[in-house]
Amino acid sequence: MKARKNRMNSKTTKICLTAQNIYGKLNVHARAVIVAATVFMTVLFISLCFNNNVHTDEAYTMALLKNDFQGIIAGTAEDVHPPLYYMIAKIAALLFPTETYKLLVQKIVVIIPVTLTLLSGGIWIWKKTEKFLSSLLFIVSLSFMVCTMEYAVQVRMYSWGLFFVTSCGLEAYDAFMTGKLRHWILFAVWGVGAAYTHYFSFVSAVVICGLLFLAILIWNRKELLRWLITIILMFVAYLPWFTVLLQQFQTVNSSYWIPEITGTTILSYFTWAFGTDIPYTTPMVLTLLIAGGVIGLVHLIQHPNSLDMFSIFCWLVPFLTCAGGVIVSWIFSPIYYDRYVYPAMGLLFVFFALSWSCVDQWYQLVLILFCCIFGVERYKEAINQEYLTPNTDLTVACLEENLTEDDIVVYNWSVYRLIYEYYVDSEQLVDIQDVDWDNLSGDIYFFSTYNCEQISQETLDTYGLVMEDLGEMGVEQNVFVMYHVYKAE
């Protein structure tokens, strides 16, 4: 028995030594491992791009990009977002002016900042902790544990906000620790970029500036003047848009689509961020985040260091961004929505990776495996969202085959007009209430959404029309029956 036990212990020791040897070799080539992990995630994101599905906000983006740069600035000034993302998207559209792949080009445009965030954040964490598993934990957790699979390919500004806010936070730490001018410059550039991308990215950048001021005031007051000069320059850089921000806030304050924020709404923020179809994923992720915070705090108390303190500051950025939006919404009118905190999620998972970097490598490996299991479900959800929406390809194919210049497309759900304009020329789109039945020059293709106004049999009889059912089709989440309406012979 003793000999058998010794053989088992010997095998266990060999396995542990082999694993440690592999870990050591991978740690030597950590940069290559981080790049490989980032490339793998990017390939997953790109695999979600080969479709022709857009939702309302994406349709707005594609419509706005039809304008020149001046028109884009004017359009965003009338909307509730700053213009930087749209300017980047317009440059891409001009560089790759292909009608067939215009949506694919724009999806690649929003993947780029996510890839940059994963790569730069992973390398930054590896350099600070000297543990490549901590870097991998950041990459897989940010990719899989929140809605990155959705926002990495959503033709909106959130992925660029993620890059700017995360980069601003990391450069703030480097500027504080080194005092080097290039870190202060990059901190300012990324902060201004965040402010010009989304207003809650702006809020996150303001929080970072405030936390940096607090750190300087407590630990490094000789940098106070440089902080003040940097903040002034950032404000000057943002000044051209600041008056527009104030005007837009007045508009939002008087009338906006966001519903009233209640306790239930606040709880739903966590489900939005961490929930999947796997049972209890939200409490599991929250437990891991809280456990990481406790571990990091204990390690900070036992071994005071700047990196553990920075990880706590990273957690504060999304928390204060969300809290600020909720408080302002309560005091004035609802302006905060769950996805607005997404740009700050990069720093949340910097906190996650740094806090768990204090523990043994085996615990980090288990966390990475957990994130990968979580990611399988996230990827399935993303596939469903990008490729399995209601018969969009069938709708487009039917229109391409049958719609002529003299025909019109009639719809009965007006809120979907913006999406319809992505697939059909706006001059051919007509609301059912605006159809000029006396002057039809061609046929009608009717998008008949359920429980909305229909073309009556009386109207068909009066104008000698026949309505042919082409089958159930749809775009985005709107399922409808398409009818072909034409003159009876």
Side-chain angles (χ1 to χ4, degrees):
M1 287 289 291
K2 185 179 289 187
R4 184 178 178 185
K5 186 175 182 181
N6 288 335
R7 285 197 299 271
M8 291 178 64
N9 289 337
S10 177
K11 288 181 180 179
T12 303
T13 302
K14 286 181 180 179
I15 292 172
C16 290
L17 288 174
T18 302
Q20 288 176 357
N21 188 38
I22 293 172
Y23 175 80
K25 289 181 179 179
L26 289 175
N27 207 29
V28 170
H29 303 287
R31 194 184 297 267
V33 174
I34 293 166
V35 171
T38 303
V39 170
F40 175 75
M41 294 302 174
T42 302
V43 170
L44 286 184
F45 300 147
I46 292 174
S47 71
L48 300 171
C49 292
F50 301 98
N51 61 76
N52 199 27
N53 299 322
V54 297
H55 60 66
T56 302
D57 286 347
E58 291 178 310
Y60 174 81
T61 298
M62 301 304 291
L64 191 61
L65 294 182
K66 295 177 182 177
N67 298 293
D68 57 16
F69 288 105
Q70 186 175 355
I72 288 173
I73 292 174
T76 51
E78 294 175 359
D79 192 39
V80 289
H81 294 298
L84 180 57
Y85 158 70
Y86 299 111
M87 307 298 279
I88 296 170
K90 181 64 177 179
I91 292 171
L94 293 175
L95 291 175
F96 302 96
T98 167
E99 184 65 25
T100 304
Y101 300 111
K102 62 181 180 180
L103 183 60
L104 176 61
V105 167
Q106 294 306 323
K107 286 180 178 288
I108 298 298
V109 167
V110 295
I111 288 175
I112 290 172
V114 179
T115 299
L116 292 175
T117 303
L118 297 177
L119 183 61
S120 60
I123 291 176
W124 188 94
I125 291 171
W126 167 61
K127 287 182 176 180
K128 302 306 180 190
T129 64
E130 299 182 346
K131 298 177 180 179
F132 85 93
L133 283 181
S134 298
S135 299
L136 286 184
L137 182 57
F138 166 75
I139 291 170
V140 297
S141 61
L142 178 57
S143 298
F144 291 148
M145 288 174 68
V146 284
C147 303
T148 301
M149 280 290 171
E150 176 182 352
Y151 292 106
V153 295
Q154 189 176 111
V155 186
R156 297 294 287 162
M157 69 290 295
Y158 300 106
S159 63
W160 280 98
L162 175 75
F163 170 70
F164 287 131
V165 171
T166 306
S167 300
C168 180
L170 299 182
E171 290 297 338
Y173 176 84
D174 287 339
F176 174 81
M177 293 300 296
T178 68
K180 291 182 178 179
L181 182 59
R182 70 183 181 90
H183 291 303
W184 281 102
I185 291 173
L186 288 173
F187 159 68
V189 169
W190 302 141
V192 173
Y196 270 107
T197 301
H198 191 277
Y199 288 134
F200 277 93
S201 297
F202 180 14
V203 173
S204 295
V206 170
V207 171
I208 293 169
C209 292
L211 293 174
L212 179 58
F213 171 74
L214 182 63
I216 290 173
L217 202 61
I218 296 173
W219 294 295
N220 194 7
R221 293 189 181 181
K222 66 180 183 180
E223 294 291 336
L224 192 57
L225 179 60
R226 188 171 292 185
W227 177 89
L228 182 60
I229 293 172
T230 305
I231 296 302
I232 292 172
L233 292 175
M234 292 171 72
F235 179 75
V236 170
Y238 194 71
L239 197 56
W241 193 257
F242 191 72
T243 53
V244 178
L245 182 154
L246 296 178
Q247 293 171 0
Q248 290 177 336
F249 183 77
Q250 295 266 340
T251 302
V252 169
N253 197 33
S254 61
S255 176
Y256 201 37
W257 60 269
I258 294 177
E260 181 182 358
I261 294 177
T262 63
T264 303
T265 308
I266 294 173
L267 289 176
S268 72
Y269 296 159
F270 298 102
T271 305
W272 164 83
F274 309 122
T276 70
D277 290 338
I278 301 174
Y280 308 113
T281 50
T282 299
M284 283 192 289
V285 174
L286 289 175
T287 300
L288 291 175
L289 288 169
I290 294 169
V294 172
I295 290 169
L297 187 60
V298 170
H299 190 264
L300 176 63
I301 293 171
Q302 293 176 345
H303 310 280
N305 65 92
S306 60
L307 205 57
D308 283 340
M309 180 58 68
F310 174 68
S311 74
I312 294 174
F313 279 17
C314 286
W315 171 81
L316 283 171
V317 174
F319 173 77
L320 293 177
T321 299
C322 181
V326 169
I327 291 170
V328 171
S329 297
W330 277 340
I331 295 175
F332 297 101
S333 63
I335 62 169
Y336 181 76
Y337 200 61
D338 50 21
R339 62 176 175 261
Y340 293 169
V341 78
Y342 178 73
M345 285 296 187
L347 291 178
L348 178 66
F349 287 99
V350 170
F351 151 79
F352 185 65
L354 290 178
S355 61
W356 281 97
S357 68
C358 306
V359 304
D360 188 86
Q361 65 192 33
W362 300 108
Y363 292 105
Q364 294 183 67
L365 187 58
V366 170
L367 284 174
I368 290 170
L369 293 175
F370 170 80
C371 292
C372 291
I373 294 170
F374 201 86
V376 171
E377 185 63 30
R378 283 289 191 194
Y379 188 66
K380 285 169 56 181
E381 291 175 2
I383 288 287
N384 289 336
Q385 185 170 341
E386 296 297 328
Y387 291 106
L388 302 179
T389 50
N391 301 322
T392 302
D393 291 340
L394 185 60
T395 303
V396 173
C398 184
L399 291 175
E400 288 179 349
E401 182 179 351
N402 298 292
L403 190 67
T404 68
E405 292 183 358
D406 294 329
D407 299 336
I408 60 173
V409 173
V410 175
Y411 57 91
N412 60 354
W413 196 10
S414 59
V415 296
Y416 262 73
R417 179 182 174 90
L418 189 61
I419 298 179
Y420 295 152
E421 285 180 351
Y422 174 75
Y423 300 101
V424 181
D425 190 294
S426 60
E427 294 182 358
Q428 290 184 277
L429 277 172
V430 182
D431 190 290
I432 191 172
Q433 297 181 352
D434 299 325
V435 178
D436 185 357
W437 297 102
D438 293 312
N439 296 292
L440 295 176
S441 58
D443 294 350
I444 292 174
Y445 289 89
F446 176 38
F447 293 176
S448 176
T449 301
Y450 299 100
N451 300 319
C452 295
E453 182 179 349
Q454 304 295 317
I455 299 176
S456 67
Q457 187 61 48
E458 181 182 354
T459 298
L460 296 174
D461 293 340
T462 300
Y463 295 98
L465 300 172
V466 175
M467 189 160 69
E468 178 186 354
D469 187 339
L470 299 180
E472 187 175 84
M473 303 186 194
V475 296
E476 210 237 3
Q477 299 302 315
N478 177 24
V479 178
F480 54 73
V481 176
M482 187 187 295
Y483 291 101
H484 180 203
V485 182
Y486 53 93
K487 288 281 187 181
E489 295 182 1

